[in-house]
């Protein structure tokens, strides 16, 4: 049997972390949301990025156009899947079939995928968001989308973030 530490469910797909830090995903894969380099759906848990170890994973569970992000044990953040609004943080809108490192640095703590956007916190208590922003979900005081991580409220320290379909909420330290 597998020793699962956590499991998250997306729109027709699931990802789970094992106690050894390995990441496994299965289910629908129409938008590369499983991060396996192919579009084939998987009926059983399949390891993502063999050799890597993860501390957290977040799946987009609100739309069929799915994206997935996770934080590795070295503090790097990685995203893959659908990228129509720049929600992968890669500086473009090209989908990614394999985990792609996002942003510079190795001090990411947690990442949370929203509807067509993503937010993440760093160990220095900063908050960053990217992707669609039609409802102001990136916390920038406008409705302009951004395809790379953009810091939210540089004057505040943040502890955690939760992203919804078109909004995000964060707690301060």
């Amino acid at each position: 049997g597998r020793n699962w530490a956590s499991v998250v469910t997306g729109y027709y797909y699931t990802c789970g972390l094992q106690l050894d830090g390995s990441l496994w995903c299965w289910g629908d894969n129409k938008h590369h949301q499983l991060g396996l380099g192919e579009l084939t759906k998987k009926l059983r848990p399949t390891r993502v990025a063999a050799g890597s170890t993860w501390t957290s994973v977040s799946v987009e569970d609100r739309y069929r156009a799915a994206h997935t992000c996770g934080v590795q044990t070295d503090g790097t953040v990685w995203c893959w899947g659908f990228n129509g609004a720049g929600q992968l943080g890669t500086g473009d809108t090209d989908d990614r079939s394999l985990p792609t490192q996002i942003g510079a640095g190795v001090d990411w703590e947690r990442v949370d995928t929203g509807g067509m956007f993503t937010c993440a916190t760093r160990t220095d208590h900063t908050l960053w968001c990217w992707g669609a922003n039609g409802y102001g979900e990136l916390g920038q005081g406008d409705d302009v989308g951004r395809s790379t991580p953009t810091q939210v409220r540089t004057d505040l320290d943040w502890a955690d973030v939760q992203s919804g379909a078109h909004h995000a909420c964060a707690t301060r330290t």
Side-chain angles (χ1 to χ4, degrees):
R2 301 196 192 280
N3 294 310
W4 298 105
S6 64
V7 176
V8 290
T9 57
Y11 200 91
Y12 296 131
Y13 76 110
T14 301
C15 291
L17 287 173
Q18 289 192 11
L19 293 174
D20 66 3
S22 61
L23 174 61
W24 301 73
C25 294
W26 61 97
D28 184 42
N29 197 26
K30 290 179 186 165
H31 298 284
H32 297 287
Q33 63 265 41
L34 300 184
L36 303 173
E38 57 171 286
L39 289 170
T40 307
K41 70 180 174 184
K42 298 297 179 185
L43 302 179
R44 291 189 172 103
T46 304
R47 186 156 186 189
V48 178
S52 60
T53 54
W54 303 80
T55 59
S56 66
V57 63
S58 180
V59 299
E60 192 284 306
D61 60 358
R62 295 151 192 93
Y63 297 105
R64 292 181 183 209
H67 72 288
T68 307
C69 295
V71 178
Q72 290 190 8
T73 53
D74 65 0
T76 55
V77 67
W78 300 72
C79 294
W80 58 94
F82 183 70
N83 195 30
Q87 64 265 40
L88 298 185
T90 55
D92 56 42
T93 55
D94 298 333
D95 296 352
R96 297 296 193 283
S97 64
L98 293 168
T100 303
Q101 187 174 349
I102 308 307
V106 292
D107 58 350
W108 295 98
E109 190 166 42
R110 187 175 178 286
V111 64
D112 196 62
T113 53
M116 295 282 280
F117 71 104
T118 305
C119 291
T121 56
R122 288 188 169 200
T123 57
D124 64 359
H125 303 292
T126 57
L127 173 62
W128 302 75
C129 294
W130 56 91
N133 195 32
Y135 299 92
E137 52 265 57
L138 301 186
Q140 299 299 320
D142 59 35
D143 61 1
V144 178
R146 290 159 175 85
S147 61
T148 57
T150 304
Q151 191 171 352
V152 178
R153 291 289 305 262
T154 60
D155 59 325
L156 299 175
D157 287 339
W158 302 98
D160 197 10
V161 63
Q162 291 287 316
S163 303
H166 301 290
H167 70 284
C169 294
T171 54
R172 293 177 50 198
T173 56

